Amino acid sequence: MSFSWTPHRFAGGALALDVANSVVLRHDSARRIDRFAIRDQLRDFPQAAAEFCAERALFGDIAPVAAENERDFFALREAIDLHFRKRILDGGDDQLLAGLLEAMARTLRQACPGSLAAATAHSVLRLLAMPDPERMKICGNCGWLFIDRSKNRSRAWCDMTVCGNRAKANRHYRRKKEETP
C-alpha cells in the first residue's frame, strides 16, 4: 500500500496529537494501522511535520527518533492518546495523567534535544496548559484527536476535506437508500 505524509495526516492541531494519530483506526483491531510500524515512515515523519504540523514554527527542524529511544517514544505516544481521549470523554483520570507525565519525563531524559521525541513531549506540555481544553475533540468519523479552532467551537471532524466529506457522503447514501423502495 502506497503511503505519504500529507496535510490531512497533521489535522490534530498539535504535534503531540499528530503523533497519537499516527495509529489509524486505533480502536478497530481488524483495520488498525500503525504508521510508525514501518521504520521509513517513522523516519520521514519529522520532515513532514516541519512542513505540515500546526506547531511547525515552534519546533523548526526536528530530528528523527533515535533507534534506542523508540520504545520510550511509542510509550509516550500511547500515553498521549490514553490521557487526552479520556479527558475528552469524561474529564480525565489522575492515573492516566501520572502515566503521561512519567512517559514525558522518561522521554525528555533520554531524547536528544531537537528530536521528534523531545518536541512531542514539549507539545504535550503545551496541551496540558491549554487555556480551553474543551476545544480538544475526537473526530466523529475516524476517531483522531484534534483541536477545534473554529469560531463557534462546532467542528466535528479532524479534517473537513477527508472525514467531513466521508461522513456527509455516508449520510447522503443512507438517506437515498432509505428513500429507494
Side-chain angles (χ1 to χ4, degrees):
M1 172 188 255
S2 177
F3 175 80
S4 62
W5 293 109
T6 62
H8 165 67
R9 311 255 182 231
F10 293 87
L15 180 62
L17 299 182
D18 295 333
V19 167
N21 293 341
S22 66
V23 178
V24 181
L25 300 171
R26 181 179 286 276
H27 299 292
D28 183 345
S29 59
R31 300 186 309 158
R32 178 185 169 123
I33 300 168
D34 181 351
R35 293 291 182 202
F36 291 163
I38 298 171
R39 188 172 291 276
D40 287 347
Q41 292 179 6
L42 175 57
R43 187 197 68 231
D44 294 345
F45 185 86
Q47 183 179 352
E51 186 175 350
F52 302 124
C53 181
E55 292 179 319
R56 64 186 169 271
L58 296 174
F59 301 115
D61 289 338
I62 302 171
V65 176
E68 64 270 12
N69 295 332
E70 285 180 9
R71 189 169 44 125
D72 289 338
F73 176 69
F74 292 138
L76 176 60
R77 176 183 69 175
E78 296 310 307
I80 292 166
D81 185 78
L82 285 170
H83 170 74
F84 288 112
R85 191 170 298 277
K86 178 78 170 170
R87 187 168 99 175
I88 293 164
L89 293 173
D90 55 5
D93 176 287
D94 287 343
Q95 293 298 317
L96 294 177
L97 176 59
L100 176 60
L101 293 172
E102 288 168 5
M104 278 184 0
R106 196 171 39 256
T107 297
L108 287 171
R109 281 189 205 103
Q110 303 297 325
C112 299
S115 70
L116 175 60
T120 300
H122 286 276
S123 178
V124 170
L125 290 171
R126 291 174 48 80
L127 290 173
L128 290 172
M130 221 170 115
D132 42 2
E134 69 280 354
R135 284 192 175 267
M136 194 177 302
K137 297 182 178 180
I138 299 171
C139 179
N141 185 55
C142 70
W144 278 2
L145 302 171
F146 70 94
I147 299 171
D148 177 2
R149 290 200 169 94
S150 66
K151 192 173 188 177
N152 64 359
R153 301 173 186 218
S154 63
R155 192 168 138 199
W157 304 291
C158 64
D159 184 349
M160 182 58 201
T161 60
V162 177
C163 287
N165 284 345
R166 285 181 186 160
K168 288 180 176 186
N170 190 13
R171 194 169 49 234
H172 175 74
Y173 171 78
R174 283 195 313 261
R175 241 188 347 257
K176 288 295 183 187
K177 191 172 181 178
E178 289 172 3
E179 291 174 4
T180 306

